Amino acid sequence: MSRPGNYGKSSRLKQLRQIKRRKQQHASRTIDWDQVEDFLLGRYHLVQGSKLPAVVDATVQRFFSEWLQTALAQGEDQVQWDVTALTTATLRRIGNQVPWQFYGLLAGQAERWQRFLRREGPAVPLATPRQIIQPLTTADWQRMIADQLAVNLLTVSAVPVTAKQRTQLATSFLAADQLQWSAVAALFAPLGFQITPGTDAQTTQWLNRLKGLTVGDFHQ
C-alpha cells in the first residue's frame, strides 16, 4: 500500500504534465506573423469566397489583402485591429487604382466580409489573439465608400480638394444613407479608366471585368 499523500502528489504531477502538454500543443498550432495574410485569405475563400461569382470573390480578396497589409504594418504588438481606422486608411491607399465598379462590389459585400473578420480575426492561431474593434454599421459603410468616391473624383479633376467640396460630393452620392450608383456612374463613366501599362495579366483581366459592370449590377 502506498504511503498517505502519494496519490495526491501523483495526481498533481499528472495535471501539471497535462497542462504542459496542452501548452506545447497550442504552441505547435500557432502561425508566424508573416503567415497571417495567407491564413485569413485562405479562410475567407474557403468560408465565403468560393460561393461568390469569380469577379466578386477576386474583388473582396484584393481589398482584404490590402486591408491586412494595413493592419499588419502596425506590428505584432498592436493586438487591436480598429476596423474603422484600418478601412479608411486602406481605401485611401487604393484610391483611383481601381475603377468605380470596385467600390460597387465592395459595398455589396462589406457587411458580410466584416462579419467574417469579427468571427475569424480573433481565431487566428497567433501567440496573442487579435481583437477586432470599432466595427462599421451599414450606414457607416455607405458613407465611407461615398466619401472615398468623392475623393477619387476630385483627385482626377486636378483641382485642390476642400473638405466642403468632398462633403457635398459624397452627399450627392447618397440617398437615405444608400449609395446611388447611377449618380456615381454619371460622373465617373465619362472619365474612363486606364489600366497601367505593365500590369500583370491576371490583374488586367480582373480590372477589365470590373470595367464591364454596369449600374444594374449594383441594384440590391
Side-chain angles (χ1 to χ4, degrees):
M1 180 180 291
S2 62
R3 294 200 305 265
N6 278 3
Y7 175 76
K9 182 178 180 182
S10 174
S11 296
R12 284 193 297 275
L13 288 173
K14 184 177 180 181
Q15 288 173 344
L16 289 172
R17 284 194 217 100
Q18 289 174 339
I19 291 171
K20 183 178 180 181
R21 191 180 305 118
R22 282 198 295 269
K23 287 182 177 178
Q24 289 172 338
Q25 289 172 344
H26 175 73
S28 68
R29 288 197 299 268
T30 61
I31 62 174
D32 293 331
W33 186 242
D34 60 4
Q35 295 175 299
V36 172
E37 182 178 351
D38 287 341
F39 179 88
L40 278 172
L41 288 176
R43 283 291 299 161
Y44 175 81
H45 181 71
L46 180 67
V47 174
Q48 292 188 2
S50 60
K51 303 170 186 176
L52 299 170
V55 67
V56 180
D57 179 30
T59 297
V60 180
Q61 289 230 40
R62 285 173 183 266
F63 162 75
F64 196 11
S65 176
E66 293 289 336
W67 193 95
L68 285 169
Q69 289 174 41
T70 307
L72 295 172
Q74 298 180 123
E76 195 169 355
D77 291 337
Q78 176 54 267
V79 299
Q80 292 187 325
W81 285 356
D82 183 321
V83 178
T84 298
L86 292 171
T87 303
T88 301
T90 300
L91 294 183
R92 288 283 184 273
R93 192 171 71 252
I94 293 172
N96 279 318
Q97 297 179 64
V98 293
W100 65 268
Q101 291 94 330
F102 169 92
Y103 295 94
L105 291 185
L106 179 61
Q109 295 296 318
E111 291 180 73
R112 188 176 291 111
W113 167 80
Q114 183 175 259
R115 285 197 296 272
F116 166 87
L117 178 67
R118 295 180 71 181
R119 182 180 68 250
E120 298 287 339
V124 176
L126 288 164
T128 304
R130 301 301 98 172
Q131 300 169 19
I132 308 301
I133 64 171
Q134 298 299 319
L136 292 156
T137 66
T138 301
D140 289 336
W141 275 108
Q142 298 286 305
R143 288 192 293 266
M144 181 176 287
I145 292 174
D147 183 69
Q148 185 59 49
L149 286 166
V151 171
N152 292 354
L153 188 64
L154 291 168
T155 300
V156 298
S157 300
V159 296
V161 179
T162 67
K164 182 178 180 180
Q165 286 175 315
R166 190 175 80 183
T167 300
Q168 289 176 337
L169 188 53
T171 301
S172 74
F173 291 149
L174 294 165
D177 284 329
Q178 287 294 314
L179 280 155
Q180 303 301 297
W181 294 107
S182 56
V184 173
L187 292 176
F188 276 92
L191 299 173
F193 178 81
Q194 299 300 317
I195 298 174
T196 304
T199 302
D200 66 86
Q202 186 177 16
T203 301
T204 297
Q205 182 183 38
W206 168 64
L207 289 170
N208 279 325
R209 293 188 70 181
L210 283 179
K211 288 168 60 179
L213 299 176
T214 65
V215 172
D217 293 306
F218 307 120
H219 286 164
Q220 299 181 7

